Amino acid sequence: MALLEVTDLTRAFGGVIANNSISFTIEKGEIVGLIGPNGAGKTTLFNCIVGYYRPQQGTVRFKGKDITGYKPFQTNREGIARTFQIMSIRGDLTVLENVMVGAYCRTSDREVATNEAMHILSLLELKKNARSSLTELPIAAQKRVGLAMALATKPELLMLDEVAAGLTPKETEEMVSLLRKVYKLKDLTLFITEHVMEVVMPISQRVIVLDGGEKIAEGRPQDIANDTRVIQAYLGEKYAKSR
Ligand SMILES: Nc1ncnc2c1ncn2[C@@H]1O[C@H](COP(=O)(O)OP(=O)(O)OP(=O)(O)O)[C@@H](O)[C@H]1O
Ligand SMILES: [Mg+2]
């Protein structure tokens, strides 16, 4: 049984069909990339899976269970967490408190939540920032806090929406090695959408391509990088030739 199974998922906003009958599966332990041009429907697909949007058609199954229409707190409890392309920052809370919000998904005990949050913060090299306000931190550290908040809910499936956006090449490299570390340590399955090909192509075992709300390709990164339709829709000749 697949960990995640999306079947025939459709979501429109007025006349814009953001996701048009999308189907795919993700196996436990896989790292799957999701790529495509701006407005292709990547974030909408994430939002439909975790329950920010209700699909108008289709189903989302997680570990065999139909979770279509579940609210975000419910999909979170089932074992799905996501990070946000645009983070909603609680500037009035400290870094530790923000991460504890995630930990409260699994416990109502303050001490347990604090310990779990501190464990995640040290894993992501954020322990020294625990008492800072999130808004005081540079963007790279804020992105790591977003990752920490998601990890604190103890997910099986972690979905990352552009974790490298706005980072320098060095910060991007650090983010990739952190992702590899938590993937191994926490026995995760990753679903990653990203415009930075240097992040998504090397880390993904399989890549799904969206364009204009349609799934136009799916396959191994090296095959996707040489797929004529994907090159025309998104990658351009530059990335394909540099391989
Ligand atoms: N809440 C919304 N209301 C109206 N239209 C929306 C909404 N969310 C997304 N859309 C539209 O759906 C389409 C897909 O948007 P989406 O944000 O999913 O794309 P994306 O692939 O994540 O793009 P990007 O790479 O820029 O993040 C776009 O045309 C967008 O304008
Ligand atoms: Mg997006």
Side-chain angles (χ1 to χ4, degrees):
M1 190 208 322
L3 184 68
L4 180 75
E5 183 178 11
V6 171
T7 311
D8 197 24
L9 188 145
T10 296
R11 172 72 213 207
F13 299 100
V16 178
I17 304 177
N19 290 154
N20 192 2
S21 192
I22 306 289
S23 298
F24 65 94
T25 58
I26 296 181
E27 302 297 326
K28 185 169 171 52
E30 262 194 307
I31 303 180
V32 178
L34 179 68
I35 64 170
N38 293 116
K42 305 179 297 294
T43 299
T44 302
L45 184 58
F46 270 31
N47 283 329
C48 286
I49 293 168
V50 301
Y52 280 92
Y53 298 153
R54 201 180 216 296
Q56 280 122 349
Q57 185 186 301
T59 54
V60 181
R61 287 181 169 275
F62 187 66
K63 296 198 278 185
K65 182 175 176 181
D66 189 346
I67 60 160
T68 320
Y70 273 36
K71 298 270 176 281
F73 80 91
Q74 293 171 307
T75 56
N76 224 189
R77 276 202 196 134
E78 294 296 325
I80 305 176
R82 61 88 64 89
T83 64
F84 291 87
Q85 181 171 1
I86 299 158
M87 266 177 82
S88 59
I89 291 176
R90 289 285 309 264
D92 54 327
L93 298 185
T94 64
V95 166
L96 175 62
E97 286 163 342
N98 269 288
V99 179
M100 282 172 70
V101 171
Y104 278 127
C105 171
R106 300 279 166 213
T107 179
S108 52
D109 185 313
R110 191 179 169 83
E111 199 182 325
V112 175
T114 309
N115 289 341
E116 179 61 22
M118 286 309 285
H119 160 71
I120 301 287
L121 285 177
S122 83
L123 200 64
L124 297 188
E125 294 150 31
L126 285 166
K127 218 168 171 176
K128 60 182 182 305
N129 306 111
R131 307 284 164 194
S132 316
S133 147
L134 205 48
T135 42
E136 293 171 86
L137 299 182
I139 180 87
Q142 285 188 16
K143 289 263 175 184
R144 290 211 306 277
V145 176
L147 184 58
M149 289 164 71
L151 280 173
T153 68
K154 299 196 176 161
E156 281 177 67
L157 173 64
L158 177 61
M159 304 183 16
L160 305 161
D161 196 350
E162 304 207 15
V163 271
L167 303 187
T168 66
K170 184 167 172 284
E171 290 166 347
T172 301
E173 248 175 61
E174 286 163 2
M175 180 56 90
V176 171
S177 60
L178 268 183
L179 286 179
R180 287 189 195 278
K181 180 168 121 182
V182 295
Y183 165 72
K184 280 211 185 100
L185 222 60
K186 298 283 170 192
D187 200 18
L188 289 172
T189 303
L190 300 180
F191 192 24
I192 304 178
T193 162
E194 187 58 73
H195 284 291
V196 183
M197 288 305 111
E198 287 70 18
V199 172
V200 74
M201 288 305 206
I203 205 173
S204 299
Q205 294 149 5
R206 191 152 59 84
V207 175
I208 294 169
V209 189
L210 297 186
D211 183 30
E214 312 270 347
K215 184 173 107 175
I216 62 162
E218 178 177 350
R220 295 183 306 164
Q222 59 269 45
D223 297 331
I224 291 298
N226 294 305
D227 183 303
T228 315
R229 195 161 168 207
V230 178
I231 292 168
Q232 277 170 359
Y234 181 52
L235 292 178
E237 297 292 337
K238 204 166 143 252
Y239 185 78
K241 284 210 179 109
S242 71
R243 309 300 299 157

